[in-house]
Amino acid sequence: MSWTPPSAQERQAILRKTHSVAMVGASPNPARASNFVATYLLSTDLEMYFVNPNASEILGHPVYPSLDALPVVPDLVDVFRRQEDLPEVLDATIAVGASTFWTQFGLYGEALAERAEAAGLTVVMNRCLKVEHARFHGGLHLAGFDTGVITSRRR
């Protein structure tokens, strides 16, 4: 059995049923991708929780040292950690009872995805939650880029 990534329609369905997100590896550093993604996601209707044992606040929100320290069970765990940290984050995701395990660009492991699905999780890998959310909520075209027309022509 090999893992098959969810289609665009399946990813859209995942996002429609997601209300709370725990971002593991969120950074208070504005130069980091996780901070940029967090800034965007805070502007949505998603309930955001940040997990980083080395930070206390990100973008004015409290930061928790681990998934099991969160005050809620998140629907989705969005991972910004190194590839070698993914098995540990998956174990924590399973333990807290989240329903979706999502890894950002560059983070992929078929065996890990199979293990997550065997534990009952929905899995999305090598996809940016910000990009996917914007794509399905009018910010991006399905092809992945902004469809707004910029032109110097007068109307």
Side-chain angles (χ1 to χ4, degrees):
M1 178 177 128
S2 69
W3 176 70
T4 303
S7 68
Q9 292 80 14
E10 290 167 328
R11 292 190 310 274
Q12 184 176 32
I14 292 165
L15 291 176
R16 281 189 178 144
K17 68 180 183 178
T18 297
H19 301 288
S20 59
V21 174
M23 184 180 285
V24 176
S27 174
N29 181 348
R32 302 296 297 242
S34 64
N35 192 278
F36 178 73
V37 171
T39 300
Y40 169 82
L41 292 175
L42 285 170
S43 73
T44 70
D45 59 352
L46 293 169
E47 190 178 322
M48 293 299 301
Y49 297 92
F50 302 116
V51 178
N52 183 331
N54 302 312
S56 59
E57 182 179 290
I58 294 176
L59 300 169
H61 293 265
V63 179
Y64 300 89
S66 61
L67 284 171
D68 61 2
L70 294 175
V72 301
V73 173
D75 296 321
L76 185 150
V77 174
D78 185 18
V79 186
F80 283 89
R81 294 286 302 271
R82 292 185 180 115
Q83 184 76 33
E84 60 267 20
D85 296 333
L86 292 182
E88 179 183 334
V89 178
L90 174 58
D91 291 341
T93 301
I94 294 167
V96 298
S99 56
T100 302
F101 183 70
W102 187 299
T103 67
Q104 288 293 318
F105 289 138
L107 298 175
Y108 182 87
E110 196 166 306
L112 194 71
E114 289 172 358
R115 186 162 73 87
E117 281 192 342
L121 294 171
T122 300
V123 181
V124 179
M125 292 187 150
N126 196 31
R127 294 275 179 179
C128 176
L129 186 58
K130 178 223 175 284
V131 170
E132 296 297 303
H133 186 279
R135 174 178 297 162
F136 298 126
H137 290 82
L140 294 175
H141 185 271
L142 281 175
F145 49 85
D146 189 345
T147 57
V149 176
I150 299 174
T151 180
S152 61
R153 293 183 189 185
R154 293 187 183 178
R155 293 182 185 208

